[in-house]
Structures are given as structure tokens and as C-alpha cells.
Amino acid sequence: MERLIRSTQELLWERGYVGTSPKAIQRAADAGQGSMYHHFAGKAELAKAAIERSGAELRAAADAQLTGEGSASARIAGYLERERDVLKGCQVGRLTADPDVIADPMLRAPVAETFEWLRKRLAEVVAEGKRSGEYPDSLDPQRIAATVAAVLQGGYVLARAAGSSEPFELAVQGLIDLLPEATK
Amino acid sequence: MERLIRSTQELLWERGYVGTSPKAIQRAADAGQGSMYHHFAGKAELAKAAIERSGAELRAAADAQLTGEGSASARIAGYLERERDVLKGCQVGRLTADPDVIADPMLRAPVAETFEWLRKRLAEVVAEGKRSGEYPDSLDPQRIAATVAAVLQGGYVLARAAGSSEPFELAVQGLIDLLPEATK
DNA sequence: GTCTATAAGTAGATAGAC
DNA sequence: GTCTATCTACTTATAGAC
């Protein structure tokens, strides 16, 4: 069951929902058809479990970077510049390209919640930066939070298009250049 | 032939390469199998023609916004705030989620070229802004160009995840807030 | 719980008539 | 140029044995 979920996460990441067949999942998990259909009602149920797991992983990784000491800009820059397998893309953001995920409330919900959480968490960090005097009062935390999240997701898109992580890194550095600086 | 290409563009936009079958294309174009295979060697050839067309459309639309009078910031803001069907996403960026597109040089090339062109064009506008004194000398055109393109692509991702165009608009406004202002 | 058998439907293409 | 027939493989399950 554990292997089924992990294999589904990996396949959804690589090939998306439409491109992932139950058979491929079984092969990757080294499990039979009977086993899969015993634990999960079908492809959608299994995908739901996998997406929820991926969302939890993304939140945990982001929270680790955004919580702790350091200025708001330093924490945001740390999050932006963290080691990533850029050409693989984002395992959660990737699913927004899947029409069957977007159309099914059960599958879209964990994706929506993950990015809602991320934007809220980033907005908190920006708000802290305003309170500490690091950022001007005019800065809108919700806007900046969305911009930061978008640069990452869009950076993946540009990198995969180019076949190189360079555009991702340019986009991230460009955003860091634009953010008001504390000590940086 | 024209209808085949247009229908393929539409289906690639909605469902991606993996999610689009020759049969679905024929149905949408109201063409028979024989007709499709007479004009194109197969699914990949047809997709190539459709992607090239979509890339040309994206370039034309962006160029129209970025060329002309107005400060660099005004033109960039105009491009960012242009009317878009946000929840549909980007017809070219969307394809970066398709493993079969990324893996096939013939299919990835038009996607890569489109975004290379876009980043170069945006960098030119930023460079013009520097020359006119609108932007400080420290600003890196290539970085800012990548950031602008990434905010759009990432904005689509966030919007589709949320089922609302709001995060897209927040991300765009956040970026405009961060860009050095001329008259704005 | 896991396995194998079976099945209706689709994917992607080829063949040959018209 | 376009049509219909045909084909192999894969998709997404269900059924029932073990």
C-alpha cells in the first residue's frame, strides 16, 4: 500500500494523471492488479492519496525553509534558492496541467489547498518583514506571496521548455533583485 | 488541413499531447482518418505543426503589447495585465508538463524557441528602460525578463490550482509593485 | 490480501477501395 | 484526397479462484 502510493506519486510527477495507467503503477510498485484494487477503489482514489502525500511533502519542505531565524528576505531567498531538481518540475504544480485533475473536485482539492497554504505562509513572512521594518508599509503581503510562488512555478515551466535550469535561476535572481533588501 | 491544425491546437491546449488522441482530433476537425494520415505522417507531425502555430500566435500577441510608445514599465504592465483567459492557462507553457513533448526534440523545439524569443524581447524592453533612465543601471535585463515570463506562467498554475483567476492577478500586481516605477 | 482471467473500449496506425 | 475496414496493444476495470 505504501509502495503503491509512492509509485503513484513518482508517476504523477513524471507523466501526470492522464499519462499514468494503473498497470504502470502496479509495475512500478511491484504489485498485482488485485492488490491495487483491494486497497483503492480505482485510479482516482489512489491518485488522491498520492497527491495528498505530495502536498504534505511540499508544505513540510517549504515550512522548514520559511520558519526560523533570519530576515524575511533571507528566508524567502533561502526558500527560492534551495536545491531543487528544476527540470523535473513541481510535483504538485505539474498537476494543474491535467484536465482530469482540475475537473475532479476530489483531485483538485489537495492541489488547491497546498498552494493556498503556501501563499498564506509566504504572506506571513512578508508581514513579519513589514513589522520588523524590513519592508515598507506599502508592500502587500498577499501580492508578494503570490508573486514568489508564481516565480517558482513559472521558473519550472521556462526551465523545462529550455531543457536547462538556467531560466529558472535567472527568474529567481531577478525576483530577489527586486525584493526590498535588508542585509541580503 | 487548416481545420486539423486548429483542432489540434485547441485539444493540445485543453488536454495536452498525451491526452489528445488522433481520433479526438479527427472528430473535432470533422475529418476522417484517411484525411489526417494523408496530410500528416502521424500524431507527432500534426502536433508539431500545431505547436509552431501556437508559438507564432503567442509571439505576435506579446510583440503587439511590448512594441510601441510608453515607458518600459507601462509596456510591461500592459503586457502583464492584458486580457487573458487565465483558467485556460498558456497554450505553449502547458506543453512543458507533457513528458512526450519534452522528450521529443521535434516537439520541444518550438516550445523552447517561443520562450527564448519572449525572454529576449522582454529583456530588450528592460534594456530600453535602462537607457532612458527609467531603470537603475544595476538592473539585469535577462533576469527581469525571466522573472516577468515566470510570473505569468506561474500565475496560470496558481490560478488553475485555485479554480480562480485571483492568484494570477495577485502575482501580476505583486510584480508590478516591485518593478521600479516611472510614471506607472 | 493477492493472483489470474476476462472484457469492453480506446490509442495509434496501416491497407486498400473509391 | 477521403473513406471504411482491420489490426495490435494498451486502458481501466470486474470476477472469481486461492
Side-chain angles (χ1 to χ4, degrees), chain A residues 94 96-97 143 147 160 171, chain B residues 94 96-97 143 147 160 171 177:
Chain A
R94 193 242 167 279
T96 61
R143 287 184 180 181
T147 303
R160 284 177 61 89
Chain B
R94 192 242 168 280
T96 61
R143 288 184 179 181
T147 303
R160 283 176 62 89
D177 290 350

Side-chain angles (χ1 to χ4, degrees), chain B residues 88-129:
Chain B
K88 267 193 94 172
C90 171
Q91 57 179 335
V92 181
R94 192 242 168 280
L95 298 169
T96 61
D98 251 301
D100 293 2
V101 170
I102 296 305
D104 184 342
M106 181 179 89
L107 296 179
R108 188 170 68 76
V111 177
E113 285 158 15
T114 297
F115 287 116
E116 262 166 44
W117 177 90
L118 178 63
R119 290 195 286 127
K120 197 177 155 204
R121 187 73 194 82
L122 283 165
E124 285 168 7
V125 175
V126 173
E128 288 165 25

Side-chain angles (χ1 to χ4, degrees), chain A residues 108, chain B residues 86-87 158-168:
Chain A
R108 188 170 66 78
Chain B
V86 172
L87 289 180
L158 298 178
R160 283 176 62 89
S164 153
S165 62
E166 197 197 3
F168 179 95

Side-chain angles (χ1 to χ4, degrees), chain A residues 14-15 18-19 94 96-97 99-100 102 108 112 119 143 146-147 150-151 154 157-158 160-163 167 170-171 173-175 177, chain B residues 14-15 18-19 94 96-97 99-100 102 108 112 119 143 146-147 150-151 154 157-158 160-163 167 171 173-175 177:
Chain A
E14 283 170 23
R15 306 207 37 89
V18 172
R94 193 242 167 279
T96 61
D100 294 0
I102 296 305
R108 188 170 66 78
R119 289 194 288 126
R143 287 184 180 181
T147 303
V151 164
V157 168
L158 298 179
R160 284 177 61 89
L170 286 170
Q173 289 308 315
L175 176 60
D177 290 349
Chain B
E14 283 169 23
R15 305 204 41 86
V18 172
R94 192 242 168 280
T96 61
D100 293 2
I102 296 305
R108 188 170 68 76
R119 290 195 286 127
R143 288 184 179 181
T147 303
V151 164
V157 169
L158 298 178
R160 283 176 62 89
Q173 290 307 317
L175 176 59
D177 290 350

Side-chain angles (χ1 to χ4, degrees), chain B residues 14-67:
Chain B
E14 283 169 23
R15 305 204 41 86
Y17 184 76
V18 172
T20 296
S21 69
K23 197 167 200 168
I25 294 170
Q26 293 151 24
R27 201 182 315 125
D30 197 27
Q33 294 210 349
S35 175
M36 186 193 121
Y37 282 104
H38 174 74
H39 291 294
F40 298 95
K43 179 180 167 177
E45 289 280 351
L46 179 45
K48 175 176 185 280
I51 297 172
E52 285 170 351
R53 179 79 66 89
S54 293
E57 288 172 8
L58 187 152
R59 288 195 291 277
D63 205 39
Q65 289 283 342
L66 293 173
T67 302

Side-chain angles (χ1 to χ4, degrees), chain A residues 9 13 49 66 73 80 97-98 112 140 142 156 164 169 171 176:
Chain A
Q9 282 185 276
W13 197 348
L66 293 173
S73 277
L80 286 167
D98 251 301
D140 181 329
Q142 285 199 59
Y156 287 128
S164 153
E169 282 144 19
I176 292 175

Side-chain angles (χ1 to χ4, degrees), chain A residues 52-71:
Chain A
E52 285 170 352
R53 179 79 67 88
S54 293
E57 288 172 7
L58 186 153
R59 289 195 291 278
D63 205 39
Q65 290 282 342
L66 293 173
T67 302
E69 305 303 306
S71 69

